[in-house]
Amino acid sequence: MRQRTEELESSNRALLAACRELESFSYTVAHDLRTPLRSMCGFSSVLLEDYPDRLDADGKEMLHRIGAAAERMGRLVDGILELSVATRSKLRRENVNLSLLAHDVVKVFNELDAGRQVETVIAEGVYAHGDPLLLRQVLENLLGNAWKYTGNAPSPRVEFGAGSQDGEVIYFVRDNGIGFDMRHAAKLFTPFARVHGVGDFKGIGIGLATVQRIITRHEGRIWTEGAPGEGATFYFCLTPAPEGIKR
Ligand SMILES: Nc1ncnc2c1ncn2[C@@H]1O[C@H](COP(=O)(O)OP(=O)(O)OP(=O)(O)O)[C@@H](O)[C@H]1O
Ligand SMILES: [Mg+2]
């Protein structure tokens, strides 16, 4: 029995070390890709600006495409870095007023997107025990999605609140936007997976993967409910699942 436990512990340690190595590898690769990408973006726009007479329309179009592709790749690389930072940064747990954070996040959206009228409903006095910076990132992503995917709703509404179930606090972000088919629910949390057309809404598909990592680091859980055309709700809690309860 003891030998079996030791074997398990040792393979656990090896697995953890391999995960860390992989994580640090992807961070380094993403980080080092940024400089050459900046060169590609920079030089393709310099060529367009400084050599307009030496390029015909086809040549200009190709350079535009090179620049746009490099920019998109830059966003993907930034996404990988964001995910990596959410995984590696030190977790500092304290009491955090999520209501205040939500107000703050929504205020920024309102300023950046002044043309839109979005009804926001934020429950007051909602607290969590967790890392303030990482929890802010959770709300930025979830409220950001709610904001974005209500882009075509006639009366957009975004809500943040909390309730309790089986003795634990469950937080939620709800919207009345485009929604999604529940068959895709698990896929939404996979890095770079998107269920809506690329042209319809901007994004690279890294937000929810980052949110899930942060919640997992808090030993919590995240799940979602939605239906096409009927909006979406993202629930999360910051505690492990009690025995026998599965979500
Ligand atoms: N509130 C929502 N309503 C409807 N669909 C959603 C909602 N939130 C997320 N999704 C779906 O889940 C996919 C993944 O979300 P995620 O936040 O990871 O990526 P993104 O918003 O497309 O891009 P990014 O967050 O990286 O800018 C989205 O592309 C969208 O299809
Ligand atoms: Mg997003």
Side-chain angles (χ1 to χ4, degrees):
M1 178 72 180
R2 213 172 89 208
Q3 193 194 345
R4 190 84 195 95
T5 314
E6 273 168 18
E7 275 170 17
L8 266 178
E9 277 174 0
S10 144
S11 60
N12 236 346
R13 272 195 300 274
L15 202 63
L16 258 175
C19 281
R20 285 213 188 98
E21 204 173 303
L22 207 60
E23 183 52 49
S24 128
F25 174 73
S26 66
Y27 177 85
T28 311
V29 170
H31 186 267
D32 291 359
L33 278 175
R34 283 171 124 187
T35 315
L37 270 173
R38 256 199 303 275
S39 293
M40 284 165 70
C41 281
F43 285 121
S44 55
S45 67
V46 169
L47 264 181
L48 275 170
E49 277 169 29
D50 293 358
Y51 296 86
D53 318 331
R54 297 204 220 162
L55 289 165
D56 63 10
D58 278 351
K60 284 182 189 157
E61 167 63 19
M62 282 179 208
L63 266 181
H64 266 299
R65 287 203 194 177
I66 293 174
E71 235 169 69
R72 178 159 173 76
M73 193 168 159
R75 283 200 295 275
L76 292 172
V77 163
D78 283 349
I80 297 175
L81 278 176
E82 185 186 316
L83 192 61
S84 202
V85 168
T87 312
R88 289 151 56 107
S89 69
K90 207 166 160 9
L91 195 78
R92 193 164 53 93
R93 281 208 193 228
E94 58 186 62
N95 264 344
V96 182
N97 186 335
L98 292 184
S99 306
L100 278 186
L101 271 187
H103 277 294
D104 217 41
V105 167
V106 161
K107 188 169 153 245
V108 176
F109 293 157
N110 267 313
E111 283 163 5
L112 291 175
D113 208 358
R116 279 190 69 198
Q117 292 287 329
V118 179
E119 184 191 353
T120 47
V121 182
I122 295 171
E124 299 304 334
V126 176
Y127 282 83
H129 193 63
D131 187 289
L133 290 179
L134 294 179
L135 289 177
R136 184 186 186 95
Q137 218 176 336
V138 166
L139 289 183
E140 271 172 4
N141 275 306
L142 294 180
L143 290 166
N145 280 346
W147 191 273
K148 172 163 60 172
Y149 295 106
T150 49
N152 298 329
S155 322
R157 185 171 193 273
V158 169
E159 188 181 349
F160 166 72
S164 84
Q165 200 181 331
D166 305 318
E168 64 178 340
V169 183
I170 293 173
Y171 308 94
F172 68 87
V173 172
R174 176 172 296 143
D175 67 69
N176 63 351
I178 191 171
F180 56 85
D181 190 322
M182 277 304 276
R183 276 179 306 176
H184 302 308
K187 186 180 141 190
L188 304 188
F189 297 99
T190 312
F192 306 119
R194 307 191 71 212
V195 300
H196 299 104
V198 174
D200 304 339
F201 298 93
K202 282 206 178 117
I204 55 165
I206 203 75
L208 286 180
T210 307
V211 167
Q212 188 178 46
R213 283 235 186 139
I214 293 174
I215 302 289
T216 308
R217 286 197 63 201
H218 284 82
E219 296 174 87
R221 291 159 292 141
I222 178 160
W223 65 102
T224 180
E225 274 170 14
E230 289 176 26
T233 308
F234 287 83
Y235 300 94
F236 65 96
C237 56
L238 299 176
T239 47
E243 285 292 314
I245 293 183
K246 215 167 168 234
R247 289 193 180 96

